Amino acid sequence: MDQATVTPHAGQSHELRIAPSILSADFARLADEMAELADTVETLHVDVMDGHYVPNLTIGPPVVKSIRAATDRFLDCHLMIADPRTYAPQFIDAGADSVTFHPEVEDDPRELIERLHEQGAQVGVAVRPHQPLSLVEELLRDIDLLLVMTVQPGFGGQAFMDDVVPKIAEAHRWRVDHGARFRLQVDGGITTDTIAETVRAGADTFVAGNAIYGKADRIEATTTLLEVAREARGSTD
Ligand code: DX5
Ligand code: ZN
């Protein structure tokens, strides 16, 4: 990542980004569902679930490979899986630009981050709603993205948990204090009603499934989310 674009003491170092979660899209029409937003977003969020780490099953590397062939958007793969050491490399091989894993399932998450970086991908770690930031603190210098979950992982369309907001602020404060460069992503229940408080806490990257793919006009839904976020930050970047 280009360190020169980061202004660690500015408090808000990354431009705001909406990352539509294709979990809420129509999987039979995935290419069209992604193409509809191709001119509106840089990033698409791909939720991978293995039926072990979470009680739901979604997609594997062959589908990511097909997605990769169908879109040039940045593919942010959120791996809700019990064995990222085995499978994260396969998602990178399939075309993921970034892989985010839940580190409590790994004996040596730092080594895995390093290994995945060597493969050429960006790497994130995720914290569940009731996990403390201290769980990942020693990894924060090594990652490109911190995903703070604002619902329990497993399903789209759940209600935002606002008791997570102080942890978002804590993560942002850590980032500013340490001059770290990771993106701060929130995921789960993000809507026009909830996005602003995450922006004010310091989030810069917003996963939204139902709030986009649940709407008839996905471009308008995405643009509106971004406008609300920008207003909350008080700038037009
Ligand atoms: C939940 C997933 C989320 C989910 C978000 O386990 O990680 O990315 O798709 O969906 P909404 O925005 O509908 O809560
Ligand atoms: Zn996700």
Side-chain angles (χ1 to χ4, degrees):
M1 185 176 284
D2 182 6
Q3 296 278 352
T5 61
V6 176
T7 47
H9 301 295
Q12 305 279 6
S13 52
H14 293 288
E15 64 171 359
L16 302 174
R17 276 194 188 159
I18 309 293
S21 166
I22 62 167
L23 183 63
S24 298
D26 178 351
F27 278 13
R29 300 180 52 252
L30 209 39
D32 292 342
E33 299 272 73
M34 296 188 297
E36 192 179 345
L37 289 169
D39 293 334
T40 308
V41 298
E42 298 86 356
T43 301
L44 292 168
H45 184 82
V46 180
D47 283 309
V48 173
M49 306 186 191
D50 67 352
H52 293 282
Y53 183 75
V54 288
N56 196 5
L57 266 173
T58 57
I59 66 177
V63 177
V64 170
K65 191 173 178 194
S66 296
I67 290 172
R68 175 73 292 160
T71 182
D72 64 357
R73 298 297 80 187
F74 186 92
L75 292 182
D76 159 34
C77 289
H78 177 193
L79 307 182
M80 287 161 276
I81 64 177
D83 187 0
R85 184 167 291 272
T86 298
Y87 293 105
Q90 297 184 25
F91 283 96
I92 298 170
D93 284 341
D97 294 298
S98 173
V99 285
T100 297
F101 67 94
H102 287 256
E104 75 275 19
V105 302
E106 271 299 321
D107 290 338
D108 191 349
R110 171 172 281 150
E111 192 274 335
L112 181 58
I113 292 167
E114 194 179 322
R115 184 185 289 219
L116 299 173
H117 272 148
E118 280 167 8
Q119 236 187 305
Q122 293 190 19
V123 183
V125 293
V127 281
R128 300 169 68 114
H130 297 120
Q131 287 174 333
L133 189 67
S134 57
L135 184 78
V136 294
E137 194 169 345
E138 62 178 31
L139 305 173
L140 294 177
R141 289 188 185 283
D142 301 325
I143 54 171
D144 304 288
L145 179 139
L146 175 66
L147 190 172
V148 176
M149 294 225 56
T150 43
V151 298
Q152 295 295 351
F155 301 91
Q158 303 180 73
F160 180 78
M161 298 169 70
D162 57 9
D163 54 342
V164 177
V165 172
K167 185 168 61 185
I168 302 167
E170 187 188 355
H172 178 55
R173 177 51 48 199
W174 195 99
R175 178 169 66 165
V176 172
D177 288 349
H178 295 82
R181 57 181 173 65
F182 58 84
R183 275 191 170 269
L184 182 45
Q185 182 179 70
V186 286
D187 183 7
I190 298 299
T191 67
T192 50
D193 290 332
T194 60
I195 196 168
E197 59 187 302
T198 73
V199 176
R200 287 192 289 268
D204 49 56
T205 310
F206 312 90
V207 176
N210 213 43
I212 294 175
Y213 282 108
K215 297 279 163 55
D217 188 338
R218 284 76 178 271
I219 294 174
E220 190 195 14
T222 306
T223 306
T224 304
L225 280 170
L226 189 56
E227 278 168 11
V228 175
R230 284 176 173 166
E231 202 171 301
R233 187 184 267 192
S235 81
T236 52
D237 63 352

